[in-house]
PDB file of all heavy atoms in Angstrom:
ATOM      1  N   ILE M 104     -10.668 110.871  29.182  1.00  0.00           N
ATOM      2  CA  ILE M 104     -10.234 109.548  28.694  1.00  0.00           C
ATOM      3  C   ILE M 104     -10.684 109.362  27.237  1.00  0.00           C
ATOM      4  O   ILE M 104     -11.823 109.639  26.887  1.00  0.00           O
ATOM      5  CB  ILE M 104     -10.818 108.419  29.587  1.00  0.00           C
ATOM      6  CG1 ILE M 104     -10.332 108.578  31.033  1.00  0.00           C
ATOM      7  CG2 ILE M 104     -10.453 107.033  29.042  1.00  0.00           C
ATOM      8  CD1 ILE M 104      -8.817 108.530  31.225  1.00  0.00           C
ATOM      9  N   ASP M 105      -9.757 108.864  26.403  1.00  0.00           N
ATOM     10  CA  ASP M 105     -10.044 108.704  24.969  1.00  0.00           C
ATOM     11  C   ASP M 105     -10.459 107.289  24.584  1.00  0.00           C
ATOM     12  O   ASP M 105     -11.061 107.076  23.534  1.00  0.00           O
ATOM     13  CB  ASP M 105      -8.774 109.038  24.153  1.00  0.00           C
ATOM     14  CG  ASP M 105      -8.317 110.474  24.351  1.00  0.00           C
ATOM     15  OD1 ASP M 105      -9.172 111.370  24.283  1.00  0.00           O
ATOM     16  OD2 ASP M 105      -7.106 110.684  24.584  1.00  0.00           O
ATOM     17  N   LEU M 106     -10.084 106.312  25.402  1.00  0.00           N
ATOM     18  CA  LEU M 106     -10.358 104.910  25.044  1.00  0.00           C
ATOM     19  C   LEU M 106     -10.215 104.067  26.304  1.00  0.00           C
ATOM     20  O   LEU M 106      -9.334 104.342  27.128  1.00  0.00           O
ATOM     21  CB  LEU M 106      -9.331 104.428  24.000  1.00  0.00           C
ATOM     22  CG  LEU M 106      -9.436 102.991  23.488  1.00  0.00           C
ATOM     23  CD1 LEU M 106     -10.650 102.824  22.561  1.00  0.00           C
ATOM     24  CD2 LEU M 106      -8.165 102.601  22.707  1.00  0.00           C
ATOM     25  N   LEU M 107     -11.086 103.067  26.460  1.00  0.00           N
ATOM     26  CA  LEU M 107     -10.940 102.140  27.601  1.00  0.00           C
ATOM     27  C   LEU M 107     -11.008 100.713  27.074  1.00  0.00           C
ATOM     28  O   LEU M 107     -11.938 100.345  26.341  1.00  0.00           O
ATOM     29  CB  LEU M 107     -12.016 102.388  28.660  1.00  0.00           C
ATOM     30  CG  LEU M 107     -11.865 101.555  29.949  1.00  0.00           C
ATOM     31  CD1 LEU M 107     -12.235 102.366  31.187  1.00  0.00           C
ATOM     32  CD2 LEU M 107     -12.687 100.257  29.909  1.00  0.00           C
ATOM     33  N   ILE M 108     -10.021  99.926  27.443  1.00  0.00           N
ATOM     34  CA  ILE M 108      -9.945  98.528  27.008  1.00  0.00           C
ATOM     35  C   ILE M 108      -9.979  97.650  28.251  1.00  0.00           C
ATOM     36  O   ILE M 108      -9.242  97.895  29.210  1.00  0.00           O
ATOM     37  CB  ILE M 108      -8.637  98.244  26.228  1.00  0.00           C
ATOM     38  CG1 ILE M 108      -8.440  99.270  25.107  1.00  0.00           C
ATOM     39  CG2 ILE M 108      -8.646  96.833  25.657  1.00  0.00           C
ATOM     40  CD1 ILE M 108      -7.069  99.181  24.432  1.00  0.00           C
ATOM     41  N   CYS M 109     -10.839  96.649  28.244  1.00  0.00           N
ATOM     42  CA  CYS M 109     -10.902  95.740  29.389  1.00  0.00           C
ATOM     43  C   CYS M 109     -10.546  94.325  28.965  1.00  0.00           C
ATOM     44  O   CYS M 109     -11.199  93.747  28.088  1.00  0.00           O
ATOM     45  CB  CYS M 109     -12.308  95.744  30.003  1.00  0.00           C
ATOM     46  SG  CYS M 109     -12.458  94.596  31.391  1.00  0.00           S
ATOM     47  N   ALA M 110      -9.524  93.768  29.573  1.00  0.00           N
ATOM     48  CA  ALA M 110      -9.178  92.368  29.356  1.00  0.00           C
ATOM     49  C   ALA M 110      -9.921  91.546  30.395  1.00  0.00           C
ATOM     50  O   ALA M 110      -9.787  91.810  31.592  1.00  0.00           O
ATOM     51  CB  ALA M 110      -7.675  92.170  29.510  1.00  0.00           C
ATOM     52  N   THR M 111     -10.711  90.593  29.936  1.00  0.00           N
ATOM     53  CA  THR M 111     -11.424  89.720  30.871  1.00  0.00           C
ATOM     54  C   THR M 111     -11.833  88.412  30.212  1.00  0.00           C
ATOM     55  O   THR M 111     -12.045  88.357  28.999  1.00  0.00           O
ATOM     56  CB  THR M 111     -12.671  90.416  31.474  1.00  0.00           C
ATOM     57  OG1 THR M 111     -13.223  89.583  32.487  1.00  0.00           O
ATOM     58  CG2 THR M 111     -13.729  90.717  30.423  1.00  0.00           C
ATOM     59  N   THR M 112     -11.928  87.390  31.043  1.00  0.00           N
ATOM     60  CA  THR M 112     -12.427  86.085  30.609  1.00  0.00           C
ATOM     61  C   THR M 112     -13.766  85.808  31.260  1.00  0.00           C
ATOM     62  O   THR M 112     -14.417  84.819  30.970  1.00  0.00           O
ATOM     63  CB  THR M 112     -11.388  85.005  30.989  1.00  0.00           C
ATOM     64  OG1 THR M 112     -10.191  85.305  30.304  1.00  0.00           O
ATOM     65  CG2 THR M 112     -11.816  83.603  30.625  1.00  0.00           C
ATOM     66  N   THR M 113     -14.152  86.685  32.179  1.00  0.00           N
ATOM     67  CA  THR M 113     -15.408  86.496  32.902  1.00  0.00           C
ATOM     68  C   THR M 113     -16.264  87.757  32.740  1.00  0.00           C
ATOM     69  O   THR M 113     -16.574  88.434  33.718  1.00  0.00           O
ATOM     70  CB  THR M 113     -15.128  86.240  34.390  1.00  0.00           C
ATOM     71  OG1 THR M 113     -14.236  87.273  34.874  1.00  0.00           O
ATOM     72  CG2 THR M 113     -14.484  84.885  34.606  1.00  0.00           C
ATOM     73  N   PRO M 114     -16.636  88.078  31.475  1.00  0.00           N
ATOM     74  CA  PRO M 114     -17.445  89.276  31.263  1.00  0.00           C
ATOM     75  C   PRO M 114     -18.783  89.153  31.997  1.00  0.00           C
ATOM     76  O   PRO M 114     -19.255  88.040  32.223  1.00  0.00           O
ATOM     77  CB  PRO M 114     -17.656  89.293  29.743  1.00  0.00           C
ATOM     78  CG  PRO M 114     -17.454  87.879  29.305  1.00  0.00           C
ATOM     79  CD  PRO M 114     -16.440  87.292  30.242  1.00  0.00           C
ATOM     80  N   ASP M 115     -19.366  90.295  32.367  1.00  0.00           N
ATOM     81  CA  ASP M 115     -20.679  90.257  33.022  1.00  0.00           C
ATOM     82  C   ASP M 115     -21.688  89.517  32.142  1.00  0.00           C
ATOM     83  O   ASP M 115     -22.510  88.742  32.637  1.00  0.00           O
ATOM     84  CB  ASP M 115     -21.206  91.683  33.225  1.00  0.00           C
ATOM     85  CG  ASP M 115     -20.483  92.441  34.323  1.00  0.00           C
ATOM     86  OD1 ASP M 115     -19.274  92.233  34.490  1.00  0.00           O
ATOM     87  OD2 ASP M 115     -21.142  93.244  35.010  1.00  0.00           O
ATOM     88  N   PHE M 116     -21.630  89.802  30.847  1.00  0.00           N
ATOM     89  CA  PHE M 116     -22.585  89.253  29.879  1.00  0.00           C
ATOM     90  C   PHE M 116     -21.822  88.770  28.650  1.00  0.00           C
ATOM     91  O   PHE M 116     -20.692  89.210  28.417  1.00  0.00           O
ATOM     92  CB  PHE M 116     -23.566  90.346  29.421  1.00  0.00           C
ATOM     93  CG  PHE M 116     -24.283  91.045  30.553  1.00  0.00           C
ATOM     94  CD1 PHE M 116     -24.018  92.380  30.834  1.00  0.00           C
ATOM     95  CD2 PHE M 116     -25.221  90.376  31.337  1.00  0.00           C
ATOM     96  CE1 PHE M 116     -24.674  93.043  31.867  1.00  0.00           C
ATOM     97  CE2 PHE M 116     -25.881  91.036  32.371  1.00  0.00           C
ATOM     98  CZ  PHE M 116     -25.611  92.370  32.642  1.00  0.00           C
ATOM     99  N   VAL M 117     -22.473  87.910  27.851  1.00  0.00           N
ATOM    100  CA  VAL M 117     -21.881  87.578  26.549  1.00  0.00           C
ATOM    101  C   VAL M 117     -21.774  88.880  25.753  1.00  0.00           C
ATOM    102  O   VAL M 117     -20.777  89.143  25.090  1.00  0.00           O
ATOM    103  CB  VAL M 117     -22.733  86.520  25.807  1.00  0.00           C
ATOM    104  CG1 VAL M 117     -22.236  86.330  24.382  1.00  0.00           C
ATOM    105  CG2 VAL M 117     -22.716  85.191  26.562  1.00  0.00           C
ATOM    106  N   PHE M 118     -22.804  89.685  25.803  1.00  0.00           N
ATOM    107  CA  PHE M 118     -22.751  91.074  25.352  1.00  0.00           C
ATOM    108  C   PHE M 118     -23.751  91.874  26.167  1.00  0.00           C
ATOM    109  O   PHE M 118     -24.676  91.277  26.704  1.00  0.00           O
ATOM    110  CB  PHE M 118     -23.040  91.186  23.830  1.00  0.00           C
ATOM    111  CG  PHE M 118     -24.489  90.969  23.472  1.00  0.00           C
ATOM    112  CD1 PHE M 118     -25.375  92.051  23.364  1.00  0.00           C
ATOM    113  CD2 PHE M 118     -24.978  89.680  23.257  1.00  0.00           C
ATOM    114  CE1 PHE M 118     -26.708  91.856  23.041  1.00  0.00           C
ATOM    115  CE2 PHE M 118     -26.319  89.478  22.932  1.00  0.00           C
ATOM    116  CZ  PHE M 118     -27.181  90.561  22.830  1.00  0.00           C
ATOM    117  N   PRO M 119     -23.590  93.169  26.351  1.00  0.00           N
ATOM    118  CA  PRO M 119     -22.516  94.023  25.837  1.00  0.00           C
ATOM    119  C   PRO M 119     -21.194  93.810  26.573  1.00  0.00           C
ATOM    120  O   PRO M 119     -21.142  93.114  27.586  1.00  0.00           O
ATOM    121  CB  PRO M 119     -23.063  95.439  26.097  1.00  0.00           C
ATOM    122  CG  PRO M 119     -23.952  95.287  27.282  1.00  0.00           C
ATOM    123  CD  PRO M 119     -24.580  93.930  27.134  1.00  0.00           C
ATOM    124  N   GLY M 120     -20.166  94.433  26.046  1.00  0.00           N
ATOM    125  CA  GLY M 120     -18.821  94.273  26.596  1.00  0.00           C
ATOM    126  C   GLY M 120     -18.691  94.858  28.003  1.00  0.00           C
ATOM    127  O   GLY M 120     -19.355  95.834  28.358  1.00  0.00           O
ATOM    128  N   THR M 121     -17.829  94.263  28.779  1.00  0.00           N
ATOM    129  CA  THR M 121     -17.586  94.734  30.154  1.00  0.00           C
ATOM    130  C   THR M 121     -16.965  96.136  30.155  1.00  0.00           C
ATOM    131  O   THR M 121     -17.241  96.938  31.054  1.00  0.00           O
ATOM    132  CB  THR M 121     -16.671  93.727  30.876  1.00  0.00           C
ATOM    133  OG1 THR M 121     -17.294  92.442  30.766  1.00  0.00           O
ATOM    134  CG2 THR M 121     -16.498  94.058  32.343  1.00  0.00           C
ATOM    135  N   ALA M 122     -16.162  96.436  29.144  1.00  0.00           N
ATOM    136  CA  ALA M 122     -15.555  97.778  29.049  1.00  0.00           C
ATOM    137  C   ALA M 122     -16.659  98.832  28.936  1.00  0.00           C
ATOM    138  O   ALA M 122     -16.565  99.905  29.539  1.00  0.00           O
ATOM    139  CB  ALA M 122     -14.624  97.854  27.837  1.00  0.00           C
TER     140      ALA M 122
END
Side-chain angles (χ1 to χ4, degrees):
I104 300 300
D105 298 313
L106 180 72
L107 185 142
I108 309 171
C109 178
T111 187
T112 299
T113 51
D115 287 35
F116 306 112
V117 172
F118 73 93
T121 306

